[in-house]
């Protein structure tokens, strides 16, 4: 890792890239008086606000069955999500081979959509202020480069992270809780939701849940409440729209709390929290290649999130073919073609596909 570099022209920066050909290029999110000095002498001026959404941190519907891990110490290997510690020897270092499938990308896209919705509607950033990127692997980055956020310290950024992830959300009326014990009804069990931010999001989520719910869904939330399935319209009108939460027979405050908790989990955005709170963070540079895929980190208009296809638009090598020996690769989609699966075979592939498999250590250039 070569760090603490400073360039005053784009030409000198490009010359360095051409000379050293690094596999990955990052820049700091921070602004420094002296970017090339040691960390403690740089003189921090401020930082952009950055969010990283990566399928690594999201429970995906593919459950990452395409990922493999191997314990460096004892050789124990398996498929799926890499464990925290090896079940055989308890070591925590693994060699991994990970993949990015359409389900991984869609999960990351869904989490990014929730984040963008909060940044726009709750924090008031315009779509032009939010720069949205495909990360080059299996996720998205959102950068806000506005002056208003530049001087926020790590604590302030943690507050933003907590909001986005729904951490510490109070669902019971605080005033009522304070009066607990002083009132005959216990006071504490007052459930209310107001009409903005997270509360509004919970109401909307609860309404959608009730409209589409089945017995199975209710069970999966940990409820055994049949009343929620009957008279949906009345429940939505009286409880959610009019705020008369206690007026539905058979639906207690505990039920509403459980349902709200389910919606909170569902509507929170699964960002990598460490990235956003770190005011010295390095982040992949826009327009450079990801060393694990050969795909570009690339910006696209925020409003195009759903339509932007990274497996087409982030492809860097659009011409040529390469003959490779592929040890193992699942079926995949790249540059508008569907390729694979391959197992121990020599094959001529489009350059982008060959580069991707080589980067993922699943192929070698064949002689
Ligand atoms: Zn082990
Ligand atoms: Zn996947």
């Amino acid at each position: 890792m070569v760090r603490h570099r400073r360039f005053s022209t784009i030409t000198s920066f490009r010359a360095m890239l051409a000379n050293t050909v690094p596999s990955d290029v990052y820049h700091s999110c921070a602004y420094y008086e002296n970017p090339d000095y040691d960390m403690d002498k740089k003189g921090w001026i401020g930082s952009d606000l950055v969010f990283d959404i990566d399928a690594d941190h999201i429970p995906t519907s593919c459950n990452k069955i395409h990922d493999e891990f191997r314990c460096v110490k004892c050789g124990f290997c398996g498929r799926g999500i890499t464990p925290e510690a090896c079940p055989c020897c308890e070591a925590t270092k693994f060699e991994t081979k990970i993949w990015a499938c359409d389900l991984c990308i869609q999960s990351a896209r869904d989490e990014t959509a929730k984040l963008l919705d909060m940044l726009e509607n709750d924090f008031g950033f315009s779509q032009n202020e939010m720069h949205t990127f495909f990360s080059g692997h299996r996720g998205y980055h959102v950068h806000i480069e506005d002056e208003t956020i530049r001087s926020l310290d790590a604590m302030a950024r943690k507050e933003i992270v907590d909001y986005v992830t729904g951490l510490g959300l109070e669902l019971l009326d605080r005033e009522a809780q304070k009066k607990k014990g002083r009132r005959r009804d216990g006071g504490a069990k007052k459930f209310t939701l107001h009409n903005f931010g997270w509360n509004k999001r919970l109401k909307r989520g609860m309404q959608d849940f009730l409209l589409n719910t089945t017995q199975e869904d209710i069970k999966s939330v940990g409820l055994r409440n049949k009343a929620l399935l009957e008279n949906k319209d009345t429940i939505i009108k009286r409880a959610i729209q009019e705020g008369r939460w206690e007026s539905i027979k058979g639906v207690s405050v505990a039920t509403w709390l459980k349902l709200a908790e389910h919606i909170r989990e569902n509507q929170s955005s699964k960002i990598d929290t460490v990235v956003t709170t770190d005011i010295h963070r390095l982040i992949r540079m826009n327009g450079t290649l990801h060393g694990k895929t050969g795909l570009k980190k690339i910006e696209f208009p925020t409003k195009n999130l759903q339509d932007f296809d990274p497996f087409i638009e982030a492809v860097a090598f659009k011409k040529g073919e390469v003959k490779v020996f592929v040890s193992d690769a699942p079926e995949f989609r790249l540059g508008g073609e569907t390729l694979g699966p391959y197992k121990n075979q020599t094959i001529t592939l489009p350059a982008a596909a060959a580069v991707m498999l080589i980067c993922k250590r699943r192929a070698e250039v064949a002689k």
Side-chain angles (χ1 to χ4, degrees):
M1 188 79 95
V2 181
R3 291 191 59 177
H4 314 298
R5 299 295 305 271
R6 162 193 196 142
F7 300 91
S8 36
T9 64
I10 192 74
T11 318
S12 60
F13 173 66
R14 285 202 180 117
M16 183 279 293
L17 289 187
N19 285 328
T20 53
V21 199
S23 69
D24 299 86
V25 185
Y26 304 87
H27 66 80
S28 178
C29 295
Y31 299 82
Y32 297 109
E33 280 164 16
N34 304 295
D36 47 346
Y37 286 21
D38 284 344
M39 253 354 251
D40 54 337
K41 298 192 182 75
K42 281 190 197 297
W44 185 82
I45 300 168
S47 276
D48 292 337
L49 183 63
V50 293
F51 298 90
D52 179 16
I53 294 112
D54 192 302
D56 288 0
H57 298 94
I58 309 168
T60 54
S61 42
C62 62
N63 215 1
K64 307 189 188 66
I65 42 168
H66 40 63
D67 292 359
E68 292 170 32
F69 57 88
R70 185 178 172 281
C71 172
V72 172
K73 199 173 159 202
C74 77
F76 176 83
C77 51
R79 275 177 181 272
I81 298 163
T82 307
E84 296 262 316
C86 174
C88 290
C89 73
E90 288 175 20
T92 53
K93 269 200 170 173
F94 295 92
E95 270 173 11
T96 56
K97 276 186 180 177
I98 59 176
W99 196 258
C101 75
D102 276 313
L103 290 169
C104 288
I105 298 292
Q106 188 55 46
S107 307
R109 192 183 278 135
D110 291 343
E111 298 305 318
T112 307
K114 289 187 275 181
L115 169 68
L116 291 170
D117 181 72
M118 283 190 240
L119 292 176
E120 187 175 1
N121 296 309
D122 298 4
F123 286 85
F125 293 110
S126 71
Q127 292 218 341
N128 292 334
E129 287 168 313
M130 303 185 287
H131 297 277
T132 310
F133 305 83
F134 170 61
S135 73
H137 190 205
R138 51 181 189 184
Y140 294 87
H141 294 164
V142 176
H143 298 200
I144 295 174
E145 297 172 9
D146 199 80
E147 291 247 10
T148 51
I149 50 81
R150 209 166 277 174
S151 59
L152 295 180
D153 63 9
M155 285 297 284
R157 288 165 204 251
K158 178 70 170 68
E159 290 292 337
I160 295 175
V161 164
D162 288 353
Y163 188 90
V164 168
T165 56
L167 195 74
L169 188 62
E170 293 257 4
L171 291 174
L172 283 177
D173 188 332
R174 271 190 179 212
E175 284 307 305
Q177 262 180 316
K178 271 191 217 158
K179 288 179 197 151
K180 187 180 177 180
R182 273 191 261 150
R183 280 169 51 177
R184 265 199 207 137
D185 61 3
K189 295 204 165 182
K190 185 132 179 72
F191 185 82
T192 52
L193 292 176
H194 51 69
N195 260 331
F196 52 91
W198 258 107
N199 280 221
K200 187 177 173 187
R201 197 164 270 110
L202 288 177
K203 275 191 187 176
R204 200 173 56 199
M206 286 161 106
Q207 180 159 333
D208 290 347
F209 179 88
L210 288 177
L211 281 174
N212 305 308
T213 197
T214 61
Q215 187 82 52
E216 289 294 289
D217 295 333
I218 291 192
K219 253 196 201 161
S220 74
V221 179
L223 291 170
R224 264 176 288 163
N225 206 320
K226 283 204 183 107
L228 288 174
L229 284 169
E230 297 152 10
N231 303 320
K232 285 180 184 179
D233 293 345
T234 313
I235 299 181
I236 288 169
K237 185 167 179 293
R238 271 209 257 157
I240 298 177
Q241 292 171 355
E242 293 170 9
R244 292 155 62 204
W245 300 96
E246 274 131 281
S247 71
I248 312 292
K249 212 178 158 208
V251 185
S252 66
V253 168
T255 300
W256 289 124
L257 276 176
K258 208 160 209 179
L259 190 54
E261 177 52 36
H262 170 72
I263 305 296
R264 185 197 68 80
E265 178 57 31
N266 233 279
Q267 303 270 315
S268 65
S269 177
K270 313 291 178 292
I271 58 171
D272 182 346
T273 59
V274 179
V275 172
T276 305
T277 51
D278 185 353
I279 57 168
H280 304 286
R281 192 75 190 184
L282 297 181
I283 192 107
R284 189 174 301 282
M285 179 173 274
N286 184 25
T288 62
L289 304 181
H290 195 299
K292 281 182 185 153
T293 58
L295 294 175
K296 276 187 285 191
K297 169 166 172 174
I298 180 171
E299 183 172 7
F300 57 86
T302 299
K303 63 176 168 43
N304 293 357
L305 176 67
Q306 293 304 332
D307 300 324
F308 178 87
D309 184 345
F311 295 133
I312 290 180
E313 311 207 37
V315 171
F317 304 99
K318 291 184 175 148
K319 283 187 214 152
E321 291 181 328
V322 182
K323 194 170 154 196
V324 285
F325 173 78
V326 187
S327 55
D328 185 23
E331 184 180 286
F332 63 104
R333 205 169 59 74
L334 195 66
E337 280 185 73
T338 301
L339 301 149
Y342 305 118
K343 185 92 189 167
N344 295 327
Q345 65 195 94
T346 301
I347 183 171
T348 300
L349 290 175
V355 168
M356 178 178 279
L357 294 182
I358 291 167
C359 288
K360 289 184 179 294
R361 290 181 291 143
R362 288 164 186 267
E364 285 170 23
V365 176
K367 282 160 208 153

